[in-house]
């Protein structure tokens, strides 16, 4: 069976909405009993959807969610021993503090094993289980995102289970409610844990944001869930309160000993509180690890940029364990193939700042900010900006030297080296259609020694070709896509929205996404904001195309 | 000294309006209620009202009609308002309009049309006065139920429904423990919008029952049209008292949610 320590285990879970947007894409992770796990990522990365699937407000389109080894994927929230603290608390305004907290307790039913007169357990067919299996079968039949084969396989498995449930008798239970006295005691204990003892008779709208927050937590923990889910619970609090609450939550976690799954977009919150951080982007997990590991060893530029402040540069491997960036060869400890283009991350606090002439590279301080503990400088090295944190004070405008130790240089595989469009095709005008927009292209590159004779493509053997509707793969290098500010301009070939930007020292790496969800990745020296609408221009000679079929198919 | 318009002076027209059209008419009604036809002070109207079984019967019948009509309207209107307020229905605005649109047609005309339709489908007021009147009352007052309920339900927090299921409610319990308690202010104001106007409604029972059902509004009208100003005024005061009492009883709820607000007849 599964590892018993995993309280929750997501296996290849995807969530696809009716309009075909993929919110969560093939996510797998597990959570150990008693762990504090944080799902971290920018808004829209699928972290909340993942949490909602664990809570039961959404059901996965594909994949399974196991709770203690049991599949709970399609179980409604009221049947899961999991409770949630909502972003905006979702307290019941018609109830006072006491009744809000007691809400779940009043509904709770305690199973008591039924026994006959002689003390032998009474056995019955488990009707609840049968109902659950039937429900699951029904949902499986209606799931549009599974292929017919997958459906059949699953249905077969379920009907087996159904037969088993219908034929085997299990221990029968009767359910009793908690007595008023028990509820009183539990509410009092919960109020004590969240420090709200004196407020139990207050109405909800007389409470401050922080107090409402505490009531929301008390309401969730009082029913003794196995897992507590927290959906950006501190988002509505001010900075000071947030810091206090962070520590308090952490303390509560230790005290209660239950598993916490926390969702936030605040990397500092995640680093402060979690045992494990799961970083997500566009519905995909980027990295899972302990806070320190993620901070020190980010897997890619996105993680490095998202977690903490960092300097990210384009670099090239020069020799074994020598990497070149900022116009200097640095010794490093990561091994990559020579000449490979890589991303380099250096944390601002890992750069040692010295007086002019006493380090590896020279630069000029162009900005200096006092941050309490240290100074934050921006140093111009050649064309690159380097962010440095140092306790030493230097004058703004001074020339300084910078040293970077080999183990402070973290090298990552580059995310993108070129844009590839596999479903491009050629239109009548001999243009290549990328994302259903025409781009001028040198069509003659498809034919060896090709030339245009009277508007027809002819090769050296005088064979004629017609590439209308031909399927091709188009390739555009990252630095050959030009961003155009004026989307009305005739040079603009396609319009998209900037969905991602990573600053890499001297330039930005942008991902521009069009309406049809095609991505164009490009470098630019200019700063654009996320969600800016921009145009794209690609020069004719910069698009490389190759046919998917043999060239002879297009002979005429 | 130059005259300077101050904020205080802006309210003068309203005060004048209120005195002319609200305070003075009420004083007149009180005056007529406690005088006889010669203008002398007397309790005759009071005594005759409380000793006349006929008039008391009308009062009780009107109260019953109001209670039943309020319940009928709430039972029909509540699910509609709930469906409209839940975001799943994209056409909800159109449907709200469909319910509200009849209110733009002249009320007397609409009631006459209702009578004709009812006669046509065989529920003529002459044969079935009660059914016809109830249908007419419900038809006219359902929009007044839907609007306040709809606006209350729009404000319901969807995450509270999730919170309720999360804490162990099944679908029925979500409704009884979270949605319904929170919509009570809307229910109260909806009930107010129906209960009191039904009591004083005059055109609907008159037209649809073809004069067979006499509600409180009708009997006040009959009094005035027969020159019994004194007793009719006293009935008007009774009406006013009932309105006042219901307002007092439901005040606590409506304070939180002062909604609704449409003309009444």
């Amino acid at each position: 069976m599964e590892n018993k320590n995993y309280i929750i285990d997501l296996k290849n879970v995807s969530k696809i909405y009716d309009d075909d947007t993929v919110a969560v894409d093939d996510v797998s992770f597990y959570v150990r009993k008693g762990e504090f796990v944080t799902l971290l990522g920018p808004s829209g990365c699928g972290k909340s959807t993942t949490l909602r699937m664990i809570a039961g407000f959404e059901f996965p389109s594909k994949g399974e969610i196991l709770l203690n080894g049991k599949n709970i994927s399609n179980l409604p929230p009221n049947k899961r021993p999991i409770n949630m603290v909502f972003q905006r608390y979702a307290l019941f305004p018609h109830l006072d503090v006491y009744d809000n907290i007691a809400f779940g307790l009043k509904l709770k039913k305690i199973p008591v094993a039924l026994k006959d007169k002689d003390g032998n357990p009474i056995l019955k067919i488990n009707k609840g289980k049968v109902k659950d299996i039937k429900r699951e079968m029904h949902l499986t039949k209606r799931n549009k995102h599974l292929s017919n084969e997958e459906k059949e396989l699953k249905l077969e498995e379920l009907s087996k289970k159904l037969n088993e449930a219908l034929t085997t008798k299990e221990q029968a239970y009767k359910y009793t409610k908690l007595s008023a006295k028990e509820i009183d005691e539990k509410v009092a204990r919960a109020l004590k844990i969240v420090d709200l003892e004196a407020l139990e008779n207050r109405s909800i709208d007389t409470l401050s944001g922080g107090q409402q927050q505490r009531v929301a937590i008390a309401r969730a923990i009082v029913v003794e869930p196995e897992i507590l889910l927290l959906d950006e619970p501190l988002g509505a609090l001010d900075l000071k309160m947030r810091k206090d609450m962070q520590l308090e939550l952490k303390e509560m976690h230790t005290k209660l000993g239950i598993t916490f799954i926390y969702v936030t977009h605040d990397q500092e919150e995640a680093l402060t509180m979690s045992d494990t951080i799961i970083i997500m982007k566009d519905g995909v997990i980027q990295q899972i690890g302990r806070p320190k590991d993620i901070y020190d060893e980010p897997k890619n530029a996105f993680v490095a940029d998202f977690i903490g402040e960092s300097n990210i540069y384009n670099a090239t491997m020069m020799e074994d364990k020598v990497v070149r960036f900022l116009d200097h060869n640095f010794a490093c400890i990561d091994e990559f193939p020579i000449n490979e283009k890589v991303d380099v991350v250096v944390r601002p606090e890992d750069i040692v700042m010295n007086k002019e002439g006493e380090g590896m590279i020279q630069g000029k301080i162009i900005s200096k900010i006092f941050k309490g503990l240290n100074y934050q400088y921006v140093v111009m090295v050649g064309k690159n900006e380097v962010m440095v944190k140092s306790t030493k004070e230097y004058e703004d405008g001074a020339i300084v030297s910078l040293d970077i130790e080999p183990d402070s240089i973290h090298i990552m595989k580059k995310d993108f080296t070129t844009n590839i469009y596999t479903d491009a095709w050629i239109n009548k005008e001999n243009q290549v259609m990328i994302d259903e927009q025409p781009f001028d292209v040198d069509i003659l590159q498809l034919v060896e020694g090709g030339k245009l004779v009277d508007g027809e493509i002819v090769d050296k053997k005088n064979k004629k070709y017609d590439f209308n509707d031909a399927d091709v793969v188009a390739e555009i290098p990252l630095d050959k896509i030009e961003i155009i500010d004026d989307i009305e301009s005739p040079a603009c070939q396609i319009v998209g929205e900037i969905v991602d930007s990573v600053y890499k020292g001297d330039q930005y790496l942008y991902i521009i996404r069009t309406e049809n969800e095609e991505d164009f990745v490009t470098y630019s020296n200019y700063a654009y904001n996320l969600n800016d609408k921009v145009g794209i221009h690609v020069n004719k000679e910069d698009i490389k195309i190759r046919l998917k079929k043999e060239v002879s198919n297009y002979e005429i | 000294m130059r005259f300077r318009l101050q904020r205080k002076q802006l309210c003068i027209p309203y005060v004048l309006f209120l005195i002319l059209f609200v305070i003075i008419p009420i004083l007149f009604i009180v005056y007529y209620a406690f005088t006889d036809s010669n203008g002398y002070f007397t309790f005759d109207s009071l005594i005759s009202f409380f000793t006349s079984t006929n008039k008391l019967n009308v009062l009780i019948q009107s109260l019953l009609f109001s209670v039943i009509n309020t319940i009928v309207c709430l039972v029909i209107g509540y699910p509609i308002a709930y469906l409209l307020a839940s975001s799943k229905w994209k056409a909800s605005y159109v449907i709200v309009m469909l319910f509200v649109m009849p209110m733009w047609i002249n009320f007397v005309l609409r009631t006459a049309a209702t009578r004709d339709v009812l006669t046509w489908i065989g529920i003529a007021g002459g044969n079935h006065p009660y059914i016809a009147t109830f249908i007419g009352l419900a038809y006219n007052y359902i929009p007044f139920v839907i609007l306040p309920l709809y606006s209350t339900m729009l404000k319901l927090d969807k995450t509270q429904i999730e919170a309720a299921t999360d804490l162990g409610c099944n679908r029925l319990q979500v409704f009884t423990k979270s949605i319904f308690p929170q919509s009570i202010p809307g229910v109260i104001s909806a009930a107010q919008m129906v209960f009191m106007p039904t009591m004083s409604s005059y055109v609907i029972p008159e037209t649809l029952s073809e004069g067979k059902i006499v509600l409180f509004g009708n009997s006040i009208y009959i009094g005035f049209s027969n020159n019994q100003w004194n007793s009719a005024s006293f009935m008007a005061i009774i009406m006013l008292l009932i309105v006042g009492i219901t307002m007092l009883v439901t005040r606590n709820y409506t304070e939180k949610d002062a909604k609704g607000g449409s003309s009444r007849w």
Side-chain angles (χ1 to χ4, degrees):
Chain A
M1 214 38 219
E2 309 288 330
N3 187 324
K4 289 242 171 69
N5 273 330
Y6 299 170
I7 187 154
I8 202 126
D9 195 355
L10 274 74
K11 288 186 165 171
N12 306 90
V13 169
S14 295
K15 177 73 194 175
I16 304 157
Y17 286 111
D18 288 340
D19 55 352
D20 280 338
T21 44
V22 181
V24 174
D25 192 2
D26 198 16
V27 158
S28 302
F29 66 87
Y30 59 83
V31 176
R32 288 189 202 87
K33 223 169 225 159
E35 209 176 6
F36 194 130
V37 174
T38 300
L39 294 167
L40 175 67
S43 53
C45 71
K47 57 189 191 302
S48 281
T49 311
T50 310
L51 195 76
R52 292 171 58 78
M53 284 192 285
I54 298 174
F57 301 130
E58 316 254 1
F59 301 125
S61 315
K62 283 179 193 167
E64 283 183 340
I65 300 174
L66 305 180
L67 176 79
N68 292 324
K70 218 181 105 207
N71 187 359
I72 57 157
S73 309
N74 290 319
L75 223 54
N78 51 336
K79 292 192 179 161
R80 301 186 186 199
I82 298 172
N83 285 93
M84 179 135 150
V85 177
F86 290 84
Q87 199 167 4
R88 300 229 152 255
Y89 317 142
L91 297 174
F92 303 114
H94 60 290
L95 301 175
D96 64 10
V97 170
Y98 178 93
D99 284 326
N100 258 287
I101 298 173
F103 191 92
L105 289 175
K106 286 180 182 163
L107 293 162
K108 201 169 181 176
K109 286 174 182 161
I110 316 290
V112 181
L114 280 177
K115 281 177 185 162
D116 60 14
K117 278 175 257 162
D118 311 324
N120 296 322
I122 295 175
L123 300 179
K124 276 183 188 167
I125 286 165
N126 191 339
K127 279 183 193 154
K129 202 169 165 188
V130 172
K131 215 171 132 190
D132 284 345
I133 296 172
K134 280 187 177 161
R135 193 186 124 82
E136 178 128 18
M137 286 172 87
H138 176 72
L139 283 171
T140 310
K141 275 180 206 158
R142 287 181 45 178
N143 189 337
K144 282 182 279 180
H145 305 288
L146 291 177
S147 72
N148 279 339
E149 283 168 34
E150 281 173 309
K151 263 187 205 180
E152 263 170 45
L153 218 79
K154 210 169 164 195
L155 282 175
E156 203 175 305
E157 195 184 314
L158 283 172
S159 57
K160 246 185 232 164
K161 268 191 199 167
L162 184 64
N163 272 333
E164 197 186 300
L166 281 171
T167 46
T168 46
K169 290 185 173 180
E170 290 179 21
Q171 166 74 57
Y173 294 94
K174 73 173 183 204
Y175 293 89
T176 55
K177 291 202 163 183
L178 289 167
S179 70
K181 200 177 149 229
E182 283 172 303
I183 291 178
D184 263 352
E185 280 167 7
K186 284 182 194 254
V187 171
R189 214 180 307 146
L191 280 167
K192 201 173 169 206
I193 291 173
V194 296
D195 272 339
L196 281 181
E197 283 120 315
L199 298 178
E200 54 179 60
N201 294 320
R202 289 269 288 274
S203 106
I204 291 300
D205 22 306
T206 62
L207 299 181
S208 72
Q211 287 167 332
Q212 293 193 12
Q213 168 73 76
R214 286 159 195 268
V215 176
I217 295 171
R219 185 178 69 172
I221 58 174
V222 78
V223 287
E224 292 157 14
E226 289 187 43
I227 304 174
L228 185 67
L229 308 175
L230 303 107
D231 185 6
E232 306 215 18
L234 308 184
L237 301 180
D238 61 56
L239 186 69
K240 176 85 177 58
M241 276 290 276
R242 205 152 58 205
K243 299 252 174 198
D244 291 348
M245 257 338 252
Q246 281 175 17
L247 295 177
E248 242 172 275
L249 273 175
K250 187 80 192 144
E251 217 171 278
M252 251 179 243
H253 173 246
T254 329
K255 230 189 279 176
L256 292 168
I258 58 175
T259 312
F260 277 38
I261 303 180
Y262 192 95
V263 158
T264 181
H265 61 265
D266 182 339
Q267 47 100 3
E268 202 195 309
E269 221 165 270
L271 290 173
T272 316
M273 301 198 288
S274 336
D275 298 323
T276 304
I277 297 179
I278 298 170
I279 298 186
M280 292 182 72
K281 181 199 174 198
D282 297 337
V284 179
I285 291 180
Q286 303 289 316
Q287 190 170 1
I288 302 180
R290 295 189 306 132
K292 185 153 173 36
D293 294 344
I294 286 188
Y295 189 84
D296 290 342
E297 297 280 323
K299 246 188 200 160
N300 55 39
F302 171 79
V303 175
D305 197 46
F306 200 77
I307 289 277
E309 285 161 307
S310 46
N311 297 294
I312 305 175
Y313 303 104
N314 291 315
T316 313
M317 296 308 293
M318 300 307 285
E319 296 159 39
D320 194 26
K321 298 189 184 176
V322 174
V323 63
R324 182 174 180 83
F325 60 99
L326 295 173
D327 283 333
H328 184 88
N329 289 351
F330 291 90
C332 60
I333 49 175
D334 296 301
E335 280 184 62
F336 275 87
I338 292 170
N339 282 329
E340 174 148 338
K341 299 272 179 205
V342 289
D343 281 328
V344 159
V345 173
V346 187
R347 297 287 181 190
E349 62 272 21
D350 289 341
I351 300 177
V352 185
M353 203 161 173
N354 287 315
K355 273 185 260 168
E356 188 181 356
E358 290 177 11
M360 300 170 182
I361 47 177
Q362 315 287 319
K364 186 181 171 193
I365 296 176
I366 58 166
S367 124
K368 169 186 171 191
I369 301 163
F370 181 59
K371 286 269 185 179
L373 266 181
N374 50 24
Y375 292 91
Q376 181 181 307
Y377 300 97
V378 177
V379 181
M380 217 50 197
V381 178
K383 273 197 225 154
N384 292 292
E385 284 178 7
V386 184
M387 191 196 286
V388 184
K389 281 185 182 168
S390 168
T391 49
K392 293 188 210 157
E393 190 178 353
Y394 292 90
E395 286 305 305
D396 198 352
I399 306 286
V400 288
S401 292
L402 304 176
D403 266 347
I404 306 172
E405 293 297 315
D407 59 359
S408 307
I409 297 174
H410 181 64
I411 301 179
M412 300 169 302
K413 210 171 159 53
K414 223 173 181 29
D415 304 343
F416 310 100
T417 46
T418 175
N419 291 290
I420 296 178
Y421 303 99
T422 50
D423 46 9
W425 49 283
I426 306 290
N427 69 4
K428 271 187 201 149
E429 272 79 38
N430 283 334
Q431 292 167 309
V432 62
M433 299 293 284
I434 299 173
D435 191 22
E436 302 305 315
Q437 293 297 321
F439 287 81
D440 283 331
V441 68
D442 177 20
I443 193 82
L444 298 177
Q445 61 181 289
L446 292 176
V447 206
E448 225 186 304
K451 57 189 171 192
L452 276 176
V453 179
D454 297 329
E456 279 179 314
I457 304 152
V458 179
D459 73 3
K460 30 182 190 191
K461 289 173 194 158
N462 270 333
K463 276 185 193 154
K464 289 179 188 171
Y465 293 93
D466 179 9
F467 290 112
N468 189 14
D469 271 338
D471 287 330
V472 295
V473 176
E475 224 177 292
I476 311 173
L478 290 190
D479 48 354
K480 300 297 185 196
I481 294 177
E482 204 183 318
I483 300 183
I484 292 172
D485 297 358
D486 178 13
I487 55 173
E488 307 289 326
S489 125
C492 159
Q493 288 165 305
I494 197 164
V495 177
E497 200 172 277
I498 298 204
V499 294
D500 197 356
S501 73
V502 180
Y503 187 56
K504 296 209 173 176
D506 57 343
Q507 52 188 355
Y508 293 88
L509 177 77
Y510 291 111
I511 300 179
I512 299 156
R513 187 162 295 164
T514 65
E515 244 175 20
N516 301 330
E517 301 265 5
E518 197 70 78
D519 283 353
F520 290 82
V521 185
T522 180
Y523 282 112
S524 170
N525 294 322
Y526 300 106
Y528 292 92
N529 291 323
L530 278 187
N531 303 327
D532 276 356
K533 279 243 179 301
V534 294
I536 288 167
H537 177 79
V538 189
N539 281 330
K540 192 177 167 181
E541 59 274 12
D542 292 326
I543 305 180
K544 290 221 160 36
I545 48 175
R546 67 170 188 273
L547 287 166
K548 284 191 185 166
K549 291 189 201 155
E550 281 296 301
V551 69
S552 54
N553 287 324
Y554 301 100
E555 260 178 57
I556 41 174
Chain B
M1 240 173 73
R2 271 183 60 207
F3 175 74
R4 287 183 61 205
L5 191 67
Q6 285 178 330
R7 200 178 276 201
K8 249 189 271 176
Q9 276 129 18
L10 284 175
C11 72
I12 288 173
Y14 300 104
V15 171
L16 280 177
F17 177 88
L18 286 174
I19 290 172
L20 264 178
F21 296 108
V22 180
I23 311 276
I24 291 181
I26 289 180
L27 289 178
F28 265 116
I29 290 176
V30 174
Y31 169 77
Y32 278 115
F34 293 101
T35 50
D36 60 18
S37 50
N38 298 321
Y40 293 114
F41 176 78
T42 174
F43 281 118
D44 277 357
S45 312
L46 184 143
I47 294 161
S48 76
F49 180 81
F50 284 107
T51 49
S52 153
T53 40
N54 191 16
K55 285 175 183 168
L56 286 177
N57 273 344
V58 169
L59 178 65
I60 290 166
Q61 167 156 305
S62 306
L63 280 172
L64 272 177
F65 260 74
S66 296
V67 169
I68 295 172
N69 186 40
T70 308
I71 292 170
V72 168
C73 286
L74 282 174
V75 166
I76 299 176
Y78 194 97
I80 297 173
Y82 182 70
L83 279 179
L84 293 179
S86 66
S87 57
K88 277 180 193 165
W89 257 18
K90 282 182 184 139
S92 63
Y93 182 70
V94 176
I95 287 156
V96 171
M97 287 314 292
L98 280 178
F99 274 103
V100 175
M101 220 157 53
M103 300 209 296
W104 299 343
I105 300 166
N106 179 284
F107 166 63
V108 180
L109 263 181
R110 179 159 34 111
T111 310
T114 314
R115 180 191 57 199
D116 289 353
V117 170
L118 289 180
T119 311
W120 182 61
I121 58 173
I123 319 177
N127 305 326
H128 307 281
Y130 285 93
I131 299 176
T133 307
F134 271 122
I135 291 177
L137 285 171
Y139 165 63
N140 268 288
Y141 288 109
I142 277 177
F144 292 96
V145 169
I146 293 178
L147 284 181
L149 280 175
Y150 176 67
S151 62
T152 316
M153 285 174 186
L154 270 187
K155 281 183 286 175
L156 286 187
D157 192 349
K158 296 281 176 302
T159 54
Q160 275 166 10
I161 295 172
E162 290 185 346
T165 42
D166 192 54
L167 291 166
C169 286
N170 59 32
R171 282 188 201 168
L172 182 69
Q173 286 168 324
V174 169
F175 180 78
T176 56
K177 292 191 188 291
S178 175
I179 298 172
F180 187 71
Q182 289 187 60
S183 62
I184 280 178
V187 172
I188 297 287
S189 67
Q192 273 186 347
M193 305 286 301
V194 175
F195 183 79
M196 294 179 293
T198 307
M199 273 205 72
S200 63
S201 65
Y202 152 65
V203 177
I204 299 173
E206 173 71 23
T207 317
L208 291 177
S209 74
E210 296 179 6
K212 285 190 177 157
I213 291 172
V214 178
L215 293 189
F216 214 56
N218 300 64
S219 65
I220 293 175
Y221 171 78
I222 292 166
F224 276 109
S225 59
N226 291 340
N227 270 333
Q228 298 167 333
W229 284 43
N230 307 96
S231 61
S233 295
F234 187 77
M235 284 195 274
I237 287 182
I238 295 283
M239 185 75 215
L240 212 60
L241 283 176
I242 294 173
V243 170
I245 290 166
T246 37
M247 290 283 252
L248 274 179
V249 169
T250 54
R251 191 181 53 181
N252 295 344
Y253 293 98
T254 38
E255 260 171 9
K256 276 185 200 163
D257 187 75
K259 273 276 154 191
S262 310
S263 69
R264 232 182 249 169
W265 44 70

